[in-house]
Amino acid sequence: MWSVIKCKVNDLFFCINTPCIRRPELLHDPGCFNQILHNRHKLQQRETKATNMTLYTELLSLQPMSKRVRVRFAPSPTGGLHLGGVRTVLYNYLFAKHHGGEFILRIEDTDQSRYVAGAEDYIFKCLKWAGLEPDESPLHGGQFGPYRQSERKATYRQYAEQLIKEGHAYYAFDTPEELEKMRLDFKTEQNPAPQYDRSVRLQMRNSLTLAADEVKKLLGEGTRHVIRIKMPDAHETVTFTDMIRGEVSFDTAVVDDKVLLKADGMPTYHLAVVVDDHLMKITHAFRGEEWLPSAPVHVLLWKYLFGLEQMPQWAHLPLILGPNGKLSKRDGAKYGFPVFAMNWTDPKTNELTEGFKEKGFLPEAFINLLALLGWNDGTEQEVFTKEELVAKFSMERVHSGGAKFDYEKAKWFNHEWIKKSGAGSLVPEVKTLLAGKGINITDDALLTKVIELVKERCTLLTDFYEQSAFFFATPAQYDIAAVKPKWNAAKQLFFAELIRNYELATDWNATVLENNFKEIAAVNELKPGELMLPFRIMLVGGKFGPGVFDIATLIGKEETITRISKALAAFNS
RNA sequence: GGCCCGUUCGUCUAAGGGCUAGGACACCACCCUUUCACGGUGGUGAUACGGGUUCGAAUCCCGUACGGGCUACCA
């Protein structure tokens, strides 16, 4: 149950809704306390820190009632899951886990015309990859199912009918053509997008304008109709407190009569979100900022249907922006960065949109970079494990402004995570990647050593191919240009001698190899520096990679000698 | 057009009325490194503008500008 606490501070009353406090001692956690200040913005503006502390102390003396936190992510299965969607999932997940609550996934598939085969399955795969699996969903089950709105179709109509009975909604019989005509007729320069609202509804065909028996007759004949919410006639201000933005208000006179129940009997998002959030006992509802304009409709529905005190706390997350406004998959294609979590192929067009996973991102890095796009813990820490995020996340520290996605920084996060990961844990990924390029590895221990040696040079997982292929295959080509200009007979002789020396080596390790290399150079009066680069080209093929003697050690005596001989032939031709 | 939200280095952000506005990415320079990286040191670079409140404003208030979102029987 909600416990609504009224506090009087400096002659001002504050209403504080306490979310799930299963354990009162959690109140001692300042982060948790922040969470409780439903209307902290007001407090922030008018009160001093000291007063806040007084309030805090007052709260401690109260016994908050417990209500388990339940949050939901409600995607519509119409295509790929993009950055913003995954971040919404993340914030839901972190918030739920931070408060010991549940994270629910509900499929909002009420628009049958937009149904896309495979999209739902794809969403689950993305969540699994990212490590953000729900506690309840169509796949995971739960006490509040079904979790697909299409399967809940029968539940919605009664709520719409109830609204009509109470005068908060009405039947509308207007055909699509009539609606189009209305929009055309009322369109002016001043009003380029006329709404179906209180100014026009009395000129349309609906149960407000038609006689009661006419309406009855139409309904009896099964005439196609929708149910629309009837926004209040008088100017009424709808206000709610957003966890991120503070108080937000709207004048109901400028909000239109949104359709609640469509002609096919399916609810629209507006009805479904309110009914299902209620039925599924959602305590906090997080969604993108693009939903803010329709929030007054939802608040009113809560008021009419279930009571405002039952309404979840809203948080409208800032948008993730691309180079030109709201991030779209087009931006990704245009600027060369992934937008979706995983590769998505549109089943109709066969168009492939690249995903972060396939681009070479580690799931840990992906959620880390997403978490920091709009949130920080107030310290200078930027690399967080999922566990740290769960422990530190709070909606209070989410930024209100939109964040432009920076692919360079995203790559930096991935690089940090590759460096941070143990070589062993990267083995499966790198193995699969190399196998895809025709390099099949059987020796995991060797691969682990290779990864350890090259991982700091890899920003994306896919970089492991270039950085480690030469450990498993003799270079097919050499960067001849880097060697040829300074190549001469003396160097030729040096490497011939090096082969003889290495053939006799009994102790094959980097130190011995380097010492022998330098001794022979000294005897021949050559500078080791001038010989290192050719040696590298012989072993690697190019001017990159870890220390040459480390490479020689790992590829082994036989292979090292083979590569020197082979390269010698190539350099001389 | 209307409504709503927002605005600190190019980008992500810190600073809850009080040091020289701090950090990270990117960029530049140097050091380390006989490759490429990692790492280290330093540097360039921001409170949109105008009023107000205040001893004092990035911070609170108002206005302007700019940016974004929404304006479907889509979500």
Side-chain angles (χ1 to χ4, degrees):
Chain A
M1 283 289 106
W2 289 100
S3 84
V4 179
I5 305 166
K6 277 204 174 153
C7 294
K8 193 181 174 199
V9 181
N10 292 359
D11 294 320
L12 290 166
F13 277 97
F14 294 100
C15 197
I16 295 172
N17 286 342
T18 63
C20 165
I21 305 294
R22 284 185 305 155
R23 292 168 295 152
E25 70 269 18
L26 276 178
L27 269 172
H28 292 277
D29 171 11
C32 193
F33 172 68
N34 266 340
Q35 214 47 268
I36 294 163
L37 291 185
H38 190 195
N39 46 7
R40 69 158 178 145
H41 287 262
K42 221 175 208 175
L43 281 166
Q44 206 170 0
Q45 286 167 23
R46 302 187 192 170
E47 310 305 330
T48 63
K49 200 171 183 176
T51 319
N52 260 325
M53 291 312 291
T54 311
L55 193 57
Y56 178 31
T57 315
E58 277 175 32
L59 267 172
L60 286 179
S61 63
L62 297 168
Q63 278 292 328
M65 300 171 94
S66 68
K67 179 166 182 177
R68 199 172 171 84
V69 164
R70 289 174 59 81
V71 301
R72 83 293 188 277
F73 175 60
S76 106
T78 52
L81 180 62
H82 90 21
L83 275 184
V86 182
R87 193 193 55 178
T88 304
V89 173
L90 215 212
Y91 286 8
N92 268 289
Y93 179 93
L94 296 177
F95 185 86
K97 298 303 156 193
H98 180 87
H99 291 99
E102 272 110 34
F103 167 48
I104 292 106
L105 184 123
R106 181 173 71 217
I107 298 291
E108 309 230 335
D109 55 350
T110 55
D111 186 353
Q112 295 168 329
S113 68
R114 294 213 308 161
Y115 172 79
V116 175
E120 183 182 318
D121 194 38
Y122 165 89
I123 289 168
F124 282 112
K125 282 188 183 137
C126 289
L127 297 195
K128 186 164 190 186
W129 173 67
L132 304 173
E133 293 205 71
D135 299 302
E136 297 170 26
S137 82
L139 207 67
H140 301 77
Q143 301 297 303
F144 299 85
Y147 292 90
R148 265 184 216 102
Q149 289 182 331
S150 59
E151 294 167 14
R152 304 168 66 84
K153 184 176 174 183
T155 30
Y156 303 107
R157 184 155 200 119
Q158 53 172 308
Y159 292 100
E161 300 278 1
Q162 182 193 330
L163 288 166
I164 293 180
K165 261 186 222 112
E166 292 166 4
H168 298 305
Y170 57 90
Y171 297 106
F173 300 95
D174 316 278
T175 62
E177 294 73 30
E178 287 168 328
L179 288 175
E180 201 181 325
K181 184 172 182 303
M182 178 276 281
R183 293 202 175 96
L184 225 56
D185 290 349
F186 286 87
K187 188 173 171 177
T188 60
E189 227 169 75
Q190 294 298 304
N191 184 13
Q195 302 190 117
Y196 197 122
D197 60 15
R198 59 180 198 151
S199 68
V200 305
R201 66 175 163 237
L202 292 181
Q203 299 166 61
M204 304 299 289
R205 291 205 311 129
N206 54 47
S207 58
L208 301 174
T209 57
L210 267 21
D213 25 327
E214 173 73 2
V215 171
K216 206 170 179 182
K217 183 173 158 260
L218 285 170
L219 289 176
E221 290 166 351
T223 311
R224 283 180 74 82
H225 65 277
V226 301
I227 294 178
R228 286 180 182 272
I229 186 172
K230 182 168 177 276
M231 294 304 285
D233 286 315
H235 281 269
E236 192 177 300
T237 303
V238 172
T239 301
F240 70 96
T241 307
D242 186 279
M243 292 173 76
I244 295 170
R245 285 150 223 285
E247 212 167 78
V248 182
S249 10
F250 297 84
D251 181 349
T252 57
V254 296
V255 181
D256 62 338
D257 291 352
K258 292 261 184 263
V259 170
L260 300 178
L261 203 73
K262 300 186 265 190
D264 64 1
M266 279 287 191
T268 59
Y269 172 82
H270 307 295
L271 213 217
V273 72
V274 170
V275 169
D276 285 344
D277 280 353
H278 174 254
L279 261 21
M280 295 182 180
K281 299 196 187 306
I282 300 303
T283 58
H284 299 78
F286 309 143
R287 58 186 2 173
E289 191 187 341
E290 71 268 28
W291 288 106
L292 211 38
S294 54
V297 176
H298 308 143
V299 173
L300 245 26
L301 286 175
W302 270 100
K303 181 177 164 188
Y304 299 151
L305 253 17
F306 312 115
L308 245 24
E309 66 287 349
Q310 297 292 318
M311 186 171 73
Q313 287 186 55
W314 296 102
H316 290 88
L317 273 23
L319 259 17
I320 296 181
L321 276 4
N324 318 294
K326 199 171 156 186
L327 187 67
S328 75
K329 65 175 186 180
R330 296 273 160 234
D331 289 327
K334 197 168 168 186
Y335 299 97
F337 58 78
V339 168
F340 289 164
M342 291 169 70
N343 275 4
W344 167 253
T345 306
D346 187 297
K348 288 192 189 96
T349 63
N350 258 333
E351 182 197 2
L352 172 79
T353 309
E354 199 174 29
F356 278 85
K357 176 179 186 282
E358 291 80 0
K359 189 78 183 179
F361 279 80
L362 249 19
E364 294 86 348
F366 186 51
I367 62 169
N368 190 166
L369 72 94
L370 247 21
L372 273 280
L373 214 50
W375 173 88
N376 72 84
D377 75 339
T379 72
E380 283 172 2
Q381 184 177 352
E382 294 201 89
V383 177
F384 293 91
T385 62
K386 189 168 83 175
E387 291 66 35
E388 287 173 317
L389 290 172
V390 167
K392 292 175 176 173
F393 185 79
S394 96
M395 204 48 83
E396 309 301 321
R397 289 204 63 91
V398 174
H399 237 258
S400 47
K404 200 177 282 183
F405 176 64
D406 180 0
Y407 188 47
E408 292 306 317
K409 182 109 187 205
K411 285 192 289 192
W412 175 81
F413 273 110
N414 204 56
H415 194 187
E416 290 301 305
W417 269 97
I418 287 179
K419 284 189 288 176
K420 187 181 160 81
S421 302
S425 71
L426 295 171
V427 165
E429 284 287 346
V430 176
K431 204 168 169 178
T432 309
L433 186 105
L434 292 178
K437 297 275 194 175
I439 299 174
N440 293 300
I441 287 158
T442 45
D443 186 348
D444 280 6
L446 173 64
L447 181 58
T448 307
K449 284 182 193 163
V450 169
I451 292 173
E452 190 57 56
L453 230 39
V454 305
K455 66 178 185 171
E456 67 192 23
R457 281 152 237 265
C458 297
T459 298
L460 297 172
L461 248 19
T462 47
D463 294 336
F464 274 103
Y465 171 64
E466 190 190 20
Q467 292 296 335
S468 59
F470 57 84
F471 282 99
F472 307 101
T474 310
Q477 287 182 329
Y478 300 100
D479 184 351
I480 295 282
V483 183
K484 207 80 176 183
K486 292 185 176 176
W487 190 247
N488 57 33
K491 288 180 183 173
Q492 167 84 17
L493 287 172
F494 167 84
F495 282 103
E497 196 177 336
L498 186 68
I499 291 176
R500 286 194 294 278
N501 178 286
Y502 280 3
E503 272 171 345
L504 299 173
T506 48
D507 207 4
W508 193 259
N509 69 62
T511 317
V512 170
L513 296 181
E514 182 168 0
N515 289 342
N516 291 7
F517 187 97
K518 287 183 172 169
E519 273 168 31
I520 300 168
V523 169
N524 290 282
E525 295 186 332
L526 287 165
K527 286 183 193 162
E530 291 180 20
L531 298 163
M532 297 279 240
L533 189 66
F535 190 31
R536 166 173 301 281
I537 306 284
M538 289 170 169
L539 300 188
V540 177
K543 290 193 285 184
F544 59 93
V548 268
F549 301 105
D550 288 326
I551 297 171
T553 305
L554 279 195
I555 62 178
K557 183 171 171 175
E558 198 182 327
E559 177 67 12
T560 302
I561 291 167
T562 306
R563 289 191 191 187
I564 300 172
S565 328
K566 201 182 158 205
L568 237 27
F571 290 179
N572 288 323
S573 61

